[in-house]
Amino acid sequence: AQTVTQSQPEMSVQEAETVTLSCTYDTSENNYYLFWYKQPPSRQMILVIRQEAYKQQNATENRFSVNFQKAAKSFSLKISDSQLGDTAMYFCAFVGRPSGTYKYIFGTGTRLKVLA
Amino acid sequence: EPEVTQTPSHQVTQMGQEVILRCVPISNHLYFYWYRQILGQKVEFLVSFYNNEISEKSEIFDDQFSVERPDGSNFTLKIRSTKLEDSAMYFCASSEEGVEQFFGPGTRLTVL
């Protein structure tokens, strides 16, 4: 079964600094997708960034980028120039379809606090 | 930009009562999902729905749960006899092709 591990329950970073959130996963599949979602206090799930496993190039989205290491099954999120609005819970998600249906497997989340 | 909507935003119910959570997926999407997040925990898959039938369900999705797409736009989750442990945030999601799922704002269910 697929599992997703986020080993940092809480992190903090100074405004304008860079922070990296870690995520590891376990799967026997070769084709899958990885996502980072942001969940602010409103609890809405907001897509931050997406990575296809077949792509070697790391995804970037403005201040957000990932370090995808397929062999190591690692998918970390780097937030550059951190802003107060980045304060939120961040969930890593693995998407595969071992039984024919795509479904998301989420990690336990990292609570990020950006300090002024 | 099209978005998934959910109603109500907060539902309070007594244990043993039936609740129906409603979702309006994005109009051209074909895949529909329900997820649950107990307070302070991770988001968990409940069920996926495609072509008017359940395509996969988790162990959480027991006989107390059912889903329906009663018309061309709504997607509902029914809990027949709520328990205290059903208190959670319930997220609906929809997808055009299955991979990228768009989440609604969630319904907070409180069972007293």
Side-chain angles (χ1 to χ4, degrees), chain B residues 29-84:
Chain B
H29 285 185
L30 302 175
Y31 299 83
F32 313 109
Y33 308 84
W34 283 100
Y35 291 83
R36 178 182 85 172
Q37 185 185 30
I38 294 171
L39 187 64
Q41 297 186 23
K42 65 181 177 181
V43 178
E44 300 173 288
F45 169 79
L46 287 179
V47 66
S48 58
F49 192 86
Y50 171 73
N51 202 25
N52 280 321
E53 60 182 24
I54 290 173
S55 43
E56 186 172 351
K57 57 184 180 179
S58 72
E59 294 166 357
I60 304 167
F61 195 89
D62 62 21
D63 292 344
Q64 294 299 311
F65 291 88
S66 62
V67 289
E68 199 176 37
R69 191 154 158 81
D71 52 44
S73 58
N74 289 284
F75 179 51
T76 61
L77 174 69
K78 183 195 291 187
I79 309 175
R80 253 178 281 282
S81 177
T82 50
K83 303 189 275 278
L84 294 176

Side-chain angles (χ1 to χ4, degrees), chain A residues 20-116:
Chain A
T20 299
L21 310 182
S22 65
C23 172
T24 57
Y25 59 93
D26 191 24
T27 184
S28 57
E29 293 185 61
N30 196 43
N31 294 319
Y32 52 87
Y33 303 81
L34 296 159
F35 293 81
W36 278 97
Y37 278 85
K38 170 184 176 181
Q39 188 181 47
S42 67
R43 297 185 75 182
Q44 168 98 44
M45 295 291 282
I46 301 166
L47 176 64
V48 175
I49 200 163
R50 159 185 177 157
Q51 175 79 43
E52 289 85 350
Y54 62 83
K55 288 187 178 177
Q56 290 188 328
Q57 187 171 7
N58 289 324
T60 61
E61 195 71 45
N62 300 316
R63 298 182 294 108
F64 299 89
S65 61
V66 299
N67 183 4
F68 173 50
Q69 303 287 328
K70 191 172 183 180
K73 294 180 182 171
S74 168
F75 181 60
S76 60
L77 174 71
K78 185 169 88 170
I79 306 174
S80 305
D81 185 26
S82 298
Q83 300 175 359
L84 295 177
D86 295 333
T87 292
M89 195 76 168
Y90 286 81
F91 290 98
C92 176
F94 170 96
V95 184
R97 56 173 184 178
S99 48
T101 302
Y102 286 111
K103 67 179 183 186
Y104 282 37
I105 307 294
F106 286 91
T108 50
T110 296
R111 187 176 303 280
L112 176 68
K113 192 168 186 178
V114 180
L115 307 169

